[in-house]
Amino acid sequence: MSAEPLLWVNGHLVPAREARVDPRDRGFTLGDGLFETMRVVAGTVPWLDQHLTRLREGTTLMALPLPWSGDQLARAIRETLDANGIGDGVVRLTISRGVPTRRGLLPDPEATPSVVVHAEPFAGYPAALYARGMRAITSRVVRNDCSPLANVKTISAVDSVMARHEANARGADEAIMRNTAGCLACASAANVFLVTRDTLVTPNDASGILPGTARQRVLGHLASQLALSAIARTVTPDELIAADEAFLTSALLGVMPLTEVDGLPIGTGVPGPITVALGQVMVESWRNDGPALGTPSN
């Protein structure tokens, strides 16, 4: 790691203290932008294509011009990791709509989007947390499943910030968020899975979730490796409490056991065998499914 972190800003690597984004940028004034947070394992980014696809889908929905191709963004990530000497870490890619030439909510077609890549070392969450499992509360903050942006990873994350703050104030690790119908949506920064016998159940896209890359990996590949069925559908809070096991997924968490909600144990109150097994195959997926970004420089 260099003495001062280097950020990739609009095509150039610059020291963090010299990095600049205009305070008139709509990302700052309106939260008008998107981001992806990605795990870095042994110099590679697992599921990078999925992250960039989700980003591209978000820019299409928001009519936000993306001035860099997927290959260019992958190279920007590689350059940022190399410049900072990061082998295991986390990298964030942020795109905002840029500085408008006129005031107002209507996007300015003349604005040039800002693109920033920031990376830092990350060794993962403590093993003791996986051994205990996270404890969560049900947040008063509601996911707006009626919004067309419910499934988009926008930089307007105030709802998640408030939910996590609520969890912290109540001595919990995470916050479970419901949607406008009172059904389960997600955690403040993760997707939720229930385990009943040999079936995994997770809230579907219509529930107002952000469709995470780790969630997609569990549904598409990891469940079948363990001969498990996996379905996405509407899920009620009562189903979560009655489940045999539960866990959270995200690009950074992988598979994190969820052992308690609102002071009530889920299953036996300790990480269950299916959750533990999925966690192990998730780690293998991290190490085996990174894209060919090139060999990190030493």
Side-chain angles (χ1 to χ4, degrees):
M1 183 77 176
S2 61
E4 180 177 3
L6 296 171
L7 279 63
W8 191 94
V9 182
N10 295 325
H12 304 282
L13 285 166
V14 296
R17 61 182 169 181
E18 297 177 16
R20 296 288 184 271
V21 173
D22 194 309
R24 297 171 298 172
D25 190 297
R26 285 171 61 103
F28 178 76
T29 61
L30 297 173
D32 189 0
L34 300 162
F35 77 100
E36 289 290 327
T37 302
M38 297 161 272
R39 186 78 180 254
V40 183
V41 180
T44 65
V45 180
W47 325 318
L48 177 61
D49 287 347
Q50 294 176 29
H51 283 286
L52 295 181
T53 295
R54 182 171 64 182
L55 182 74
R56 180 72 65 179
E57 291 172 348
T59 61
T60 299
L61 179 64
M62 293 175 62
L64 197 167
L66 184 58
W68 307 90
S69 69
D71 287 344
Q72 288 173 318
L73 292 175
R75 284 196 294 272
I77 291 169
R78 172 77 279 151
E79 290 174 11
T80 307
L81 295 177
D82 286 353
N84 290 282
I86 294 175
D88 292 303
V90 57
V91 60
R92 172 171 165 141
L93 168 62
T94 305
I95 299 176
S96 62
R97 200 177 295 270
V99 180
T101 59
R102 59 173 184 264
R103 292 188 68 257
L105 292 176
L106 191 65
D108 181 355
E110 301 301 319
T112 300
S114 299
V115 182
V116 178
V117 180
H118 167 226
E120 59 187 73
F122 178 67
Y125 293 91
L129 185 56
Y130 289 90
R132 166 172 69 82
M134 279 192 168
R135 298 163 182 158
I137 55 96
T138 301
S139 177
R140 294 188 295 270
V141 181
V142 174
R143 288 281 296 183
N144 184 7
D145 52 306
C146 300
S147 169
L149 295 177
N151 306 135
V152 178
K153 200 172 179 70
T154 71
I155 58 179
S156 307
V158 176
D159 286 351
S160 292
V161 170
M162 291 177 62
R164 181 65 67 85
H165 180 70
E166 181 184 358
N168 184 70
R170 293 170 59 182
D173 306 300
E174 249 293 8
I176 301 300
M177 302 174 72
R178 295 164 293 184
N179 59 25
T180 57
C183 295
L184 286 187
C186 54
S188 68
N191 292 114
V192 182
F193 279 83
L194 287 61
V195 182
T196 302
R197 298 187 181 88
D198 60 352
T199 299
L200 309 181
V201 180
T202 190
N204 56 14
D205 289 4
S207 297
I209 68 162
L210 178 74
T213 54
R215 171 183 178 271
Q216 182 177 341
R217 200 68 182 172
V218 171
L219 289 173
H221 299 277
L222 303 188
S224 61
Q225 286 184 228
L226 298 178
L228 300 170
S229 300
I231 57 175
R233 61 168 174 78
T234 299
V235 182
T236 68
D238 288 343
E239 288 183 89
L240 174 59
I241 297 301
D244 297 332
E245 306 175 31
F247 59 90
L248 307 175
T249 61
S250 77
L252 300 188
L253 287 174
V255 173
M256 171 63 71
L258 178 63
T259 53
E260 179 183 298
V261 176
D262 296 327
L264 299 175
I266 296 178
T268 61
V270 298
I274 290 177
T275 298
V276 171
L278 278 167
Q280 292 170 346
V281 295
M282 177 68 78
V283 171
E284 294 172 4
S285 179
W286 274 336
R287 300 199 175 279
N288 296 329
D289 297 336
L293 291 177
T295 303
S297 58
N298 296 319

